[in-house]
Amino acid sequence: MRIILFSFIFCSFDVIYSNYYEETKTQQATEEFEPVTMSVKNSLSKNINCDDFSLYALNCTTEAALLYDSSRMTPPIPSKLTDWCRAIKHLINCALDWKVECNVVSESHFNEDSIRGHIHVANNICDDELFQIRYMELSACIESSQDSWEVCYKSFKHTVEEQQNTTHEWTHYEVHFYLCCARARFRRCTLESLFEKATACSHLEAITLQKFSVIVSEGGVYQDCDRNMMYPNCPGGDPRPTHKLMSHLVTGNASLSNNNVWLLVFILYYLI
C-alpha cells in the first residue's frame, strides 16, 4: 500500500512517498476545528489511471506548483493570494478525485490528515471574505517581515517532517506531543517577529498576518493541541508566548479600540 502526504509549503508542493501498509481507520474531526467534509459531488469520470498512483500524485503537485510559482516559503503577497489558493484547492481536488475514482480498486491513497489540513487552510483563508479583505492590505507588512517569517516556517516544516517521517501513526502520543510543540513554537516565533522586531506592520496588520500564521500551523499539524498537552515539557522549554508578549498583543495602541471584534476573532483562533 502506498500513502502520499501533500506537504504544504510556499515555494512548491512536495510529496512524501511512504511504502507501508496501514489499516484504514475512520477519523473523526477534532473539536478544535470545524467539521471537514471529505466527499465530493457526483461528476463525470476523470479517467484516472488507478494503477499508477505515483505518477498521478506527481502530476498533481507539478500542476499546483505551476499555479503558484514562488521561490520563497513566505506568505503570498496579496496579488498572488488567489494563485496560492488555486494551488491548494487543486491539490485537494486531486486527492478527492482519487478517493472517488480509485479507492475501491487501489490500496494507495493520500494521507487524510494532510487533506484535512489543506481543507482547513482553504476554508479559513481562501473562502473567508472578511479575512481576504484584511489580507489585501498587507503588502508592506509582508515585505518587511517575510525574512524572519520564513526562518520560523522553515524550522517548523523541518521539525514536522522529521516527526512525521519517524512513524505512520501521527496521533501516537509521543509524535503528537512533538508536533504540537512545533506548532506552538512556530506561532510564538512569528508572533515575536511581528511584534518585537521592526516591521512596516501596523498593529492590526500584524494581527491579521499572525492569524494567517495560526491557520497555516493548523493546516500543517491538524490535531487537537489544546487538551492534555504538557507544553512546559517541550524541547527547549514552554513554546507558548510569554505573558508580556500576549499583553502587548492585546493592548496594542489606541487605534486598536475601533477593531475589538477583529482582535477577539484572532484571540479565539490563537488561544482556544
Side-chain angles (χ1 to χ4, degrees):
M1 182 185 201
R2 176 167 292 181
I3 297 177
I4 290 182
L5 158 70
F6 282 135
S7 181
F8 175 74
I9 62 176
F10 295 89
C11 64
S12 64
F13 291 81
D14 295 337
V15 286
I16 298 174
Y17 296 87
S18 301
N19 294 308
Y20 65 91
Y21 179 80
E22 181 181 29
E23 292 293 334
T24 302
K25 300 178 181 178
T26 301
Q27 300 184 9
Q28 297 179 344
T30 66
E31 295 179 2
E32 184 180 8
F33 303 119
E34 76 284 355
V36 172
T37 301
M38 299 297 293
S39 61
V40 293
K41 296 180 180 179
N42 293 330
S43 60
L44 297 176
S45 174
K46 304 286 185 175
N47 293 321
I48 297 172
N49 179 6
C50 298
D51 295 326
D52 199 339
F53 183 48
S54 298
L55 179 61
Y56 176 79
L58 179 61
N59 287 340
C60 286
T61 54
T62 300
E63 291 161 0
L66 291 174
L67 291 173
Y68 179 69
D69 183 16
S70 174
S71 61
R72 299 292 302 273
M73 294 186 190
T74 60
I77 59 175
S79 62
K80 292 290 186 180
L81 182 62
T82 298
D83 292 339
W84 186 81
C85 287
R86 286 175 60 209
I88 292 172
K89 291 183 177 183
H90 180 73
L91 291 178
I92 295 170
N93 288 333
C94 273
L96 296 181
D97 285 344
W98 179 274
K99 186 180 181 72
V100 170
E101 296 287 328
C102 299
N103 269 18
V104 175
V105 297
S106 173
E107 290 185 342
S108 299
H109 63 269
F110 294 94
N111 182 281
E112 295 205 2
D113 281 338
S114 178
I115 300 171
R116 287 186 172 93
H118 280 67
I119 292 174
H120 178 74
V121 171
N123 286 346
N124 290 282
I125 293 178
C126 303
D127 296 332
D128 186 328
E129 293 183 5
L130 177 59
F131 179 80
Q132 291 211 6
I133 290 172
R134 297 287 187 182
Y135 196 89
M136 290 301 112
E137 303 171 355
L138 299 185
S139 294
C141 178
I142 291 173
E143 183 178 356
S144 65
S145 61
Q146 63 182 355
D147 290 343
S148 57
W149 197 99
E150 186 174 36
V151 171
C152 297
Y153 184 79
K154 284 183 175 179
S155 176
F156 171 64
K157 177 178 180 292
H158 173 76
T159 302
V160 169
E161 289 184 350
E162 185 177 54
Q163 288 299 319
Q164 290 174 343
N165 287 337
T166 62
T167 179
H168 310 309
E169 186 56 61
W170 296 354
T171 55
H172 181 274
Y173 71 92
E174 184 175 356
V175 176
H176 170 75
F177 171 75
Y178 286 115
L179 288 176
C180 289
C181 288
R183 194 174 88 174
R185 187 175 299 108
F186 170 69
R187 295 184 185 189
R188 176 170 177 170
C189 183
T190 57
L191 196 63
E192 290 174 343
S193 71
L194 291 169
F195 287 92
E196 293 189 341
K197 297 181 180 180
T199 70
C201 304
S202 69
H203 194 86
L204 184 57
E205 288 171 349
I207 288 174
T208 303
L209 190 52
Q210 179 64 9
K211 180 182 176 183
F212 175 90
S213 305
V214 169
I215 297 170
V216 165
S217 74
E218 291 168 344
V221 177
Y222 194 75
Q223 297 187 21
D224 182 354
C225 293
D226 291 332
R227 292 178 294 181
N228 303 320
M229 264 300 296
M230 300 295 292
Y231 282 109
N233 295 337
C234 288
D238 194 332
R240 294 172 297 181
T242 63
H243 177 73
K244 179 181 179 181
L245 183 57
M246 290 305 298
S247 296
H248 175 67
L249 169 66
V250 173
T251 56
N253 51 41
S255 64
L256 189 61
S257 61
N258 295 324
N259 300 286
N260 287 334
V261 173
W262 186 250
L263 176 61
L264 178 60
V265 169
F266 166 76
I267 292 175
L268 289 174
Y269 260 101
Y270 193 86
L271 297 180
I272 295 179

